[in-house]
Amino acid sequence: MNLAEYRGVWVFLEQQDGRIAPVSLELLGAGRKLADKRGVPLSGVLIGDQVRELAADAFQYGADVVYLYDDPIFRNYRTESYMRAVIACVQKHKPEILLYGATSTGKDLASAVATDLETGLTADTTLLDVDQETGLLEASRPAFGGNIMATILCKKHRPQMATVRPKVMKALPPDPNRAGQIVEERIPLREEDIRTKVLKIVRETSRRVRLDEADIIVAGGKGMGSKEGFQLIHRFAEAIGATVGASRDAVEAGWIDHQHQVGQTGVTVTPKLYFAIGISGAIQHLVGMQNSGLIIAINKDPDAPIFQACHYGLVGDAFEIVPLLIEALQAESDKEVQYGGKV
């Protein structure tokens, strides 16, 4: 493989229901930094049916070029059809870096593409950088149970690929005046060539916790002691109108469902306010909430790692501190009622 033939940073632009997925816009922000550092263009790969107009959104968020596969055969995501489009585009235009969102679609597609192209793929990356001279992508992620950060390189193969979780990177502010180049691409693909068929799409109907959309999160860890003790987290969250989160330890102990888990094996969140109560602050939890606007930690261990990551920390027993907070909030609420909303 002649590595010198490969140039440029690409982002797979995942789209659904007529819009580009937020994680893809976030990756355009990260990709813009990598491309500028290397002095190369930033491109997006957009696949779907009647999605041409979405290219304008990609340009607003930093893309210079969009490679467009717009055909009814791509109406619904299928591994085989999307994989063949991405592989054809890579083989024709030869990017040095290709990024995907770590969604169910992105992870499925990235692994299939990496296998066929016989190149490397770093999963669930939390930090991205590139060597300005060599073009080596430095993709970092927690390893060994979250005890260390490993930086993974793909020295002998291209493109270098990584999946990145939603909310880890930050999208650039959209610039409606930015424009770019649309490169229309086609591959000789017929419906009968694809082994899988989409018969019906059933939308999720069960009520789900949307941690990644919450403005305030109260998260509890193993310091809450038991399932009964964890109920204090629910009480506090209800008192301040917050969503309940949890560490992996609390989830594995059976105190709360996995959909509430924050961290490497849970959800990455960026609320305006994050309470970490009884959470020690292992790196696998920190990578899921470290970009929160304001982090307040409560832990009785003064040496807990969480105090190195928070903005404000309270050293003490959560079962003494949190009830006082709830009591103070209730008193303020009673004052508002008494004085007609004015305190």
Side-chain angles (χ1 to χ4, degrees):
M1 177 174 283
N2 184 1
L3 303 187
E5 294 180 352
Y6 289 78
R7 183 174 181 272
V9 178
W10 286 14
V11 172
F12 168 65
L13 300 173
E14 184 176 340
Q15 56 78 28
Q16 190 174 22
D17 298 329
R19 68 188 187 99
I20 296 176
V23 66
S24 297
L25 302 179
E26 294 160 12
L27 286 179
L28 286 174
R32 183 74 266 167
K33 295 178 182 178
L34 301 179
D36 290 346
K37 191 171 182 178
R38 283 283 289 155
V40 297
L42 172 65
S43 304
V45 181
L46 180 60
I47 305 172
D49 179 30
Q50 298 183 359
V51 294
R52 183 186 179 93
E53 63 182 21
L54 297 182
D57 294 334
F59 297 142
Q60 288 185 31
Y61 282 89
D64 302 309
V65 179
V66 168
Y67 296 103
L68 176 66
Y69 289 84
D70 199 339
D71 190 282
I73 204 166
F74 300 120
R75 178 174 293 116
N76 297 309
Y77 173 77
R78 288 175 287 182
T79 307
E80 190 173 1
S81 58
Y82 273 56
M83 176 189 72
R84 289 175 64 173
V86 172
I87 290 174
C89 203
V90 166
Q91 291 175 334
K92 181 177 180 180
H93 297 286
K94 299 185 183 322
E96 55 190 313
I97 294 171
L98 177 51
L99 307 175
Y100 307 77
T103 61
S104 56
T105 295
K107 289 187 286 189
D108 178 70
L109 179 61
S111 58
V113 171
T115 301
D116 264 45
L117 290 178
E118 297 182 348
T119 190
L121 171 64
T122 304
D124 286 335
T125 305
T126 57
L127 292 172
L128 291 171
D129 201 356
V130 66
D131 187 290
Q132 187 171 359
E133 300 301 323
T134 66
L136 273 176
L137 177 66
E138 299 170 356
S140 301
R141 55 155 294 156
F144 291 101
N147 293 315
I148 66 169
M149 290 292 289
T151 298
I152 300 170
L153 308 177
C154 180
K155 295 184 177 181
K156 297 181 180 180
H157 300 274
R158 295 292 183 272
Q160 305 161 95
M161 303 205 308
T163 61
V164 182
R165 286 187 174 200
K167 301 290 186 180
V168 171
M169 306 298 171
K170 290 188 177 181
L172 297 172
D175 181 356
N177 297 317
R178 283 194 91 256
Q181 177 188 8
I182 297 177
V183 179
E184 297 189 28
E185 298 285 352
R186 296 187 67 86
I187 54 174
L189 186 62
R190 302 173 303 169
E191 187 63 43
E192 52 266 34
D193 297 329
I194 305 175
R195 289 166 290 183
T196 56
K197 312 296 178 187
V198 177
L199 301 180
K200 184 179 181 181
I201 296 177
V202 179
R203 301 295 182 186
E204 180 66 57
T205 57
S206 62
R207 187 172 180 267
R208 297 184 61 192
V209 176
R210 300 300 303 180
L211 272 177
D212 56 344
E213 297 177 359
D215 286 331
I216 306 174
I217 295 175
V218 175
K222 65 180 179 181
M224 303 313 296
S226 65
K227 189 171 185 176
E228 292 70 27
F230 200 86
Q231 295 306 307
L232 182 61
I233 300 297
H234 290 281
R235 287 175 50 207
F236 186 35
E238 183 178 356
I240 63 175
T243 301
V244 174
S247 69
R248 184 176 66 179
D249 289 327
V251 171
E252 290 182 346
W255 301 345
I256 194 168
D257 294 337
H258 180 267
Q259 60 182 324
H260 293 268
Q261 185 173 326
V262 176
Q264 180 188 355
T265 52
V267 181
T268 301
V269 298
T270 54
K272 295 177 182 177
L273 177 59
Y274 187 90
F275 283 91
I277 304 175
I279 294 175
S280 63
I283 192 169
Q284 61 262 35
H285 185 81
L286 296 180
V287 297
M289 44 67 74
Q290 60 189 355
N291 291 324
S292 302
L294 181 66
I295 302 170
I296 299 175
I298 302 174
N299 200 298
K300 60 184 177 182
D301 179 5
D303 298 319
I306 191 67
F307 289 127
Q308 302 301 315
C310 69
H311 299 95
Y312 297 98
L314 297 173
V315 178
D317 189 337
F319 292 98
E320 296 177 0
I321 295 173
V322 175
L324 292 175
L325 292 175
I326 295 174
E327 183 180 335
L329 288 166
Q330 186 60 55
E332 289 298 318
S333 178
D334 292 343
K335 285 183 181 179
E336 289 185 10
V337 172
Q338 181 179 354
Y339 294 102
K342 296 181 180 179
V343 180

